[in-house]
Amino acid sequence: APGLKLLFDLVLESISDQDDADSAQFVQLLAQSVKARLADVEWEVRDTALEFISASAGTLEWTRARGLIADGDLLDDVVSALSDTEEYVRASGAQALVAILGSADAEFRQQVADHSSLGCRQLEQLVNDSEAFVKRAALDLVYALGNHAVNGRLEGREWMQCLTYSKLYQMGDDPDFEVRVRCAKILALLARWMHFASIAAGDRAFVVELQADALLLDMCRDSSRYVRRVCLDGLLEMKRFYKIGGGSEVAEADEERSGKRQTVERGEESFYRKLCDIDFARLESTLTAEHLYQEALDTQVEKEMMTETQDPNIGNNILDCY
């Protein structure tokens, strides 16, 4: 696998330097080779092939990457990798799809979202994976799909329907802080979509049930400064939307509107008031470098990992990181 990775790196550099006319046939043959590697019995080979696809999508212009990924008929194999028996392959498959979504044109991006094996059930299984690094990659994929959908760059709601309030709550309390970071990003996306976008009534009802705004506010008290940073950025963005008039109507409930609409507006007004009650300056201060050492001390580490090389309490503490 290390030799194959080196070969793929050289191939990627070669494609970048070639003219389109010269590289077309070469890319076609390369796609056949990658497709064979994706079916290899050794998981390291499959994993390396997926990493190459991810690097190709992230490095090459889409006009060139399309010849390998789309014209080379590799999408089915990449999506199939999400169900691989090896956890590293599952994670690499999700990362490859994230890279593809980030560089593909609108037509192929929609083709990815509409893939029959990338529905709600498959995404839900991936998000529920027992391995933390697979769960991270799965949440990156859900966020990529959701971000494109919220911004009108693709259609589809499977990314949203694979989530539930209980699942978001559990991920917000996950022992892996990187999972919590990704959960906060998804919550910020859902909250912004719920409060500031024009969405169908059915979708709005589903998003409201997720209570993303309330969960995002709760995660502001997370022990990790990285999680708090994502929460702070998301909440500040929403507060700016309110100030420029994006949510100004929520404070002016029209008595002539239906009771259901008034309930929604009261909920939005309540959220805006909670935003105004947040001490953003204090929250920002907890994210500065001065808090790094204290945060390390506050984590659950064994006393044997802490050593003092000279006299105690003179600032020469050493934390053996792992």
Side-chain angles (χ1 to χ4, degrees), residues 37 81 89 98 101 106 121 126 205 239 275 293-294 304 322:
R37 299 300 182 273
V89 178
V98 171
L101 287 168
R121 183 177 179 181
L126 205 61
K239 190 174 182 180
L275 278 180
Y293 185 70
Q294 186 60 45
E304 290 76 8
Y322 57 92

Side-chain angles (χ1 to χ4, degrees), residues 261-313:
R261 177 58 181 167
Q262 290 180 21
T263 300
V264 172
E265 290 184 343
R266 285 195 294 269
E268 292 180 341
E269 183 178 359
S270 174
F271 176 68
Y272 177 67
R273 289 175 178 173
K274 290 178 181 178
L275 278 180
C276 294
D277 290 339
I278 295 176
D279 188 346
F280 287 101
R282 184 195 62 79
L283 185 57
E284 179 75 37
S285 69
T286 67
L287 306 177
T288 59
E290 287 77 8
H291 291 263
L292 287 175
Y293 185 70
Q294 186 60 45
E295 184 170 322
L297 291 176
D298 292 340
T299 57
Q300 296 181 356
V301 296
E302 298 179 0
K303 292 184 177 180
E304 290 76 8
M305 297 179 62
M306 299 296 297
T307 61
E308 291 188 278
T309 58
Q310 303 175 23
D311 296 332
N313 301 320

